Amino acid sequence: MLGDAEIHALDSNLSSIVQQNQQHHADVQNLLDKFRQLLDNYNNLKSDYEEEKEAREKYKRMARGQERNPFVLVLVDGDGYLFKEHLLKAGADGGITAARILNDSIRELLHDRLGHQADQCRVMVRIYANVLGLSKSLARSGIVGQEARSLSPFTASFTRAEDLFDFVDAGDKKEGADYKIREMFRLFADNSQCRHIFFAGCHDSGYSNLLTPYRGRTDRITLLKAANFHSEYERLGLPVRELPALFMSTPIGGTGSPSNHTPSMSTTSRPICKHFQKGICRYGSSCNKAHIPQGQQLSRSDNTPSPGRESPTSARTQEFYASQLVTHLDPKWQDYIPINLAGDRIDTYCPIPGHDAWELYTRRAKIHKPCNNFHLGGECSNIGCEYDHGRLDPSSLDVMKYILRQHPCQTGPSCRSTKCFLGHLCQKDGCRGLKPCRFNRHAHTLDLQIAKYTPSIKRDTGHSRAPSAEGAFLPDTPEEPQGLIVL
């Protein structure tokens, strides 16, 4: 039998074992709780990771999508930036011409700023104005008719001319255009798809607070200058450019019309700033050279062009070509080519066809493309000609002539072919010979005075690709379906 001491020792050992078992159980339970908590944390982190991964993939898709459709935005306050008088007077045709000039001018500025990336960007234009009030103001100046909203044909054609061009009537409420322009600017100012903004509202100092947060952001914003450029915008550190072939440089009722303004002697005593005429002079009014808008002739004798050539600084508008070029040649000179003193071939005047004429020709071309040789040259020697020889409306014939004149003859002004229907000089309104114009610099500076007629060279007709107007309603952007040209 165990003694009392042994029984006491065994009891102590049993109590110790029970305590150890209880501690072990507690430790295991604690470990299990921590493991369960670790699993919960892992699941939460995994969920967060999946959400973050999905968000990153969505952002990448958005970024790739934004890079696919880059564009530049042109914001214009139409109440302060008025188009040239001859454009407004031309009504619907003037709206189409204004859209073409604006598109070409913006692309020229883009090439200077973005280089080869400019070709990938589309041009979006938003012009906001009080059309009713603007029509009344222009009617009082004799620029448009007296009927209500007489500016509407111009604005409608401008909007119809390009897919992303809109001339919007902001209503007759005060600051209606201002509100629209501010919201459009805020919407696109930080949009990565919008590569650049050309802002044309610098006549109104109220926009300065809108542009102040973007002070010095030359990579994002360019200011366009016209009449009444406010001095506050000069302190923003943003590039300032002009479009002298598009907007009036003086307000209505100001000191003389821009087209009739003659430079003073103090202006003509300085060399002419070519950067200003391109709209890219960075020095503004502090420039040491004379700022002479395109369309103005200098009267100084030291600027007299040499025979057969014209100064490259002189502008050439539709009015200039209409006054300098003959519309038709006398039938007695049908086998002769008119040339100037330098021996350069002089084309007849080819005005921009109206919108109705473009639509009529386009409908005809979609059915069966007309033959250039037959309709323009009077005959087609190709027995198996695939193009239409049927009767053509006179207005459609004018469209054909205009389209071909927009494409330069490879022989240039020395061409003497009586059957050449291509252009030997550029007749685009306000064109400065820069991209995307197809003509070289010399084709913009020819002396247009006919000095004599020289015998032509009759070459055999041939078949080749020629531009046509299929799908094109604008004079400057014809597509190039197949047709026939005689070279």
Side-chain angles (χ1 to χ4, degrees):
M1 182 175 290
L2 298 175
D4 293 339
E6 292 177 335
I7 293 175
H8 181 71
L10 290 173
D11 184 58
S12 299
N13 291 336
L14 181 61
S15 299
S16 178
I17 292 173
V18 171
Q19 291 178 356
Q20 290 177 0
N21 286 336
Q22 291 176 348
Q23 183 63 41
H24 176 72
H25 179 75
D27 291 341
V28 171
Q29 189 64 39
N30 186 41
L31 181 62
L32 292 175
D33 292 340
K34 290 182 177 181
F35 183 72
R36 187 177 295 107
Q37 184 179 4
L38 181 62
L39 288 177
D40 292 340
N41 292 339
Y42 171 80
N43 289 329
N44 291 334
L45 288 174
K46 182 180 179 181
S47 177
D48 293 343
Y49 168 77
E50 294 295 339
E51 291 179 0
E52 184 67 22
K53 181 180 178 181
E54 183 179 356
R56 287 190 61 185
E57 291 299 326
K58 183 178 180 181
Y59 174 79
K60 289 179 181 179
R61 290 193 298 269
M62 291 177 59
R64 286 194 296 267
Q66 290 173 348
E67 290 179 357
R68 273 198 298 267
N69 298 298
F71 66 92
V72 295
L73 175 65
V74 183
L75 275 179
V76 182
D77 188 329
D79 293 329
Y81 281 64
L82 301 181
F83 288 95
K84 287 285 190 178
E85 184 174 333
H86 71 276
L87 296 174
L88 296 174
K89 286 184 175 180
D93 291 339
I96 294 176
T97 305
R100 174 183 59 80
I101 296 175
L102 179 56
N103 183 70
D104 291 347
S105 300
I106 293 299
R107 290 205 172 276
E108 289 176 11
L109 295 178
L110 278 180
H111 274 283
D112 294 337
R113 179 161 299 279
L114 301 180
H116 68 280
Q117 296 181 0
D119 296 330
Q120 304 173 4
C121 295
R122 303 181 69 184
V123 179
M124 177 189 294
V125 177
R126 293 292 183 271
I127 302 179
Y128 297 97
N130 176 3
V131 175
L132 178 61
L134 193 56
S135 298
K136 292 179 180 178
S137 299
L138 294 173
R140 285 194 293 268
S141 300
I143 297 177
V144 298
Q146 297 293 329
E147 63 273 12
R149 299 183 181 276
S150 53
L151 192 61
S152 295
F154 176 91
T155 61
S157 294
F158 182 92
T159 300
R160 188 171 60 246
E162 295 283 348
D163 293 340
L164 298 181
F165 280 36
D166 286 314
F167 197 120
V168 182
D169 185 0
D172 55 359
K173 299 298 182 181
K174 185 178 180 181
E175 297 184 352
D178 299 36
Y179 174 77
K180 292 286 188 180
I181 290 175
R182 289 175 183 276
E183 293 305 312
M184 285 292 291
F185 181 87
R186 294 189 181 103
L187 180 63
F188 291 106
D190 298 315
N191 187 314
S192 59
Q193 279 183 283
C194 181
R195 300 300 172 83
H196 204 79
I197 296 179
F198 293 90
F199 187 82
C202 302
H203 66 292
D204 185 353
S205 61
Y207 293 119
S208 60
N209 60 345
L210 179 68
L211 299 174
T212 298
Y214 299 90
R215 182 191 300 268
R217 290 291 304 276
T218 59
D219 61 319
R220 290 294 297 165
I221 301 171
T222 294
L223 304 179
L224 297 180
K225 180 180 180 182
N228 297 329
F229 185 82
H230 205 280
S231 59
E232 286 191 18
Y233 295 96
E234 297 177 355
R235 296 192 287 268
L236 295 177
L238 297 173
V240 180
R241 302 291 182 263
E242 291 192 56
L243 303 180
L246 190 68
F247 296 120
M248 293 185 184
S249 57
T250 57
I252 296 179
T255 56
S257 172
S259 59
N260 298 326
H261 175 69
T262 302
S264 64
M265 290 306 297
S266 61
T267 300
T268 57
S269 62
R270 294 179 292 164
I272 298 174
C273 178
K274 295 182 180 180
H275 295 288
F276 172 80
Q277 294 199 337
K278 293 180 181 179
I280 56 176
C281 180
R282 68 180 65 180
Y283 299 104
S285 58
S286 62
C287 182
N288 293 327
K289 297 183 179 181
H291 282 189
I292 306 297
Q294 284 209 339
Q296 299 176 9
Q297 299 281 347
L298 297 181
S299 59
R300 291 183 53 194
S301 60
D302 56 348
N303 285 290
T304 302
S306 59
R309 299 291 185 269
E310 187 179 24
S311 169
T313 59
S314 58
R316 293 195 162 180
T317 61
Q318 283 291 308
E319 290 82 357
F320 176 79
Y321 288 117
S323 63
Q324 296 294 319
L325 298 175
V326 296
T327 306
H328 299 91
L329 295 179
D330 193 303
K332 68 180 181 180
W333 299 112
Q334 62 180 353
D335 294 328
Y336 291 81
I337 302 297
I339 60 175
N340 59 19
L341 288 176
D344 299 324
R345 178 170 179 166
I346 305 301
D347 292 330
T348 55
Y349 176 60
C350 190
I352 301 175
H355 183 73
D356 293 339
W358 280 95
E359 287 187 336
L360 181 63
Y361 178 80
T362 300
R363 289 196 298 267
R364 173 69 174 271
K366 285 182 177 180
I367 299 173
H368 195 179
K369 300 182 183 68
C371 174
N372 293 338
N373 279 337
F374 181 82
H375 293 288
L376 297 181
E379 60 180 357
C380 177
S381 60
N382 184 5
I383 299 178
C385 181
E386 60 181 298
Y387 301 106
D388 187 9
H389 290 186
R391 182 182 177 278
L392 197 64
D393 187 88
S395 63
S396 297
L397 193 63
D398 292 338
V399 174
M400 290 181 65
K401 293 179 181 178
Y402 182 83
I403 293 173
L404 294 177
R405 286 290 178 84
Q406 301 308 303
H407 292 257
C409 171
Q410 294 183 358
T411 308
S414 61
C415 175
R416 297 294 183 265
S417 173
T418 187
K419 295 292 186 178
C420 181
F421 312 125
L422 301 180
H424 304 90
L425 58 92
C426 180
Q427 296 190 37
K428 288 185 179 180
D429 186 27
C431 183
R432 298 189 291 273
L434 304 175
K435 290 182 179 181
C437 183
R438 301 179 179 93
F439 290 86
N440 58 29
R441 181 67 178 174
H442 179 57
H444 296 78
T445 59
L446 292 180
D447 175 19
L448 304 184
Q449 188 67 33
I450 298 177
K452 63 178 182 178
Y453 290 82
T454 185
S456 63
I457 301 174
K458 294 185 178 180
R459 298 179 181 175
D460 293 335
T461 60
H463 298 78
S464 62
R465 285 178 58 85
S468 178
E470 182 178 10
F473 292 88
L474 301 183
D476 64 315
T477 56
E479 300 292 339
E480 297 192 4
Q482 292 187 3
L484 301 175
I485 303 180
V486 181
L487 297 178

